[in-house]
Amino acid sequence: MSKVAVIFWTGTGNTEAMANAVAEGAENGGADVTLKNVIDFNADSVSAFDGIAFGCPAMGAEELEDSEFLPVFENCNLNEKDVVLFGSYGWGDGEWMRNWEQTCTEMGANLVSESVICNDTPDDECLEKCRKLGAVLNN
């Protein structure tokens, strides 16, 4: 059984809904899942997990949330760690996710699936993509 962490930050609840669906997908696949808001997560515990799903919405000019999420994320050792990314946005074209994927690659992470983004509140189709995203981490 793989150990999977689903770590997220949310401002409106959209990314939290996505995180719950990612966790559900990983659990349905048989993973031992830890679901935490980033403020309750310690970057030093990354090594305890086989895979990590990070969720953060686009903020400001399509950036990661920089007061709570980014400081924790930047302290994670993702070298050779299986990682997936997800988040919601209200404007723009997803640039924040492309930049985040690039950052993960530069950190040595193994991005194991295409990231999932949704505009505003996740609909059923988006939540199903999130469940599939979680299942990928269980392989």
Side-chain angles (χ1 to χ4, degrees):
M1 175 185 310
S2 62
K3 291 186 69 162
V4 172
V6 180
I7 310 304
F8 68 95
W9 185 90
T10 193
T12 63
N14 293 339
T15 302
E16 183 173 13
M18 296 174 77
N20 288 328
V22 171
E24 180 184 338
E27 286 174 347
N28 289 344
D32 176 12
V33 177
T34 298
L35 173 67
K36 289 190 180 247
N37 187 304
V38 73
I39 62 173
D40 299 319
F41 182 72
N42 183 333
D44 293 334
S45 66
V46 165
S47 63
F49 298 99
D50 300 306
I52 301 181
F54 287 106
C56 186
M59 303 293 291
E62 287 207 72
E63 305 166 331
L64 295 173
E65 193 283 326
D66 64 359
S67 66
E68 294 178 335
F69 184 84
L70 195 57
V72 173
F73 175 77
E74 288 178 333
N75 284 312
C76 291
N77 179 1
L78 300 181
N79 192 39
E80 298 184 18
K81 184 65 66 179
D82 287 348
V83 171
V84 296
L85 305 174
F86 62 93
S88 64
Y89 65 101
W91 59 89
D93 68 354
E95 179 183 5
W96 106 100
M97 186 59 73
R98 292 188 299 276
N99 292 340
W100 193 10
E101 290 168 340
Q102 180 65 35
T103 297
C104 286
T105 300
E106 291 168 0
M107 293 172 77
N110 178 25
L111 292 174
V112 296
S113 180
E114 184 176 322
S115 301
V116 174
I117 63 174
C118 76
N119 188 279
D120 293 323
T121 304
D123 60 13
D124 290 341
E125 180 182 349
C126 177
L127 293 175
E128 184 57 29
K129 287 180 181 179
C130 289
R131 287 183 198 94
K132 290 178 180 176
L133 190 67
V136 167
L137 278 178
N138 194 39
N139 294 333

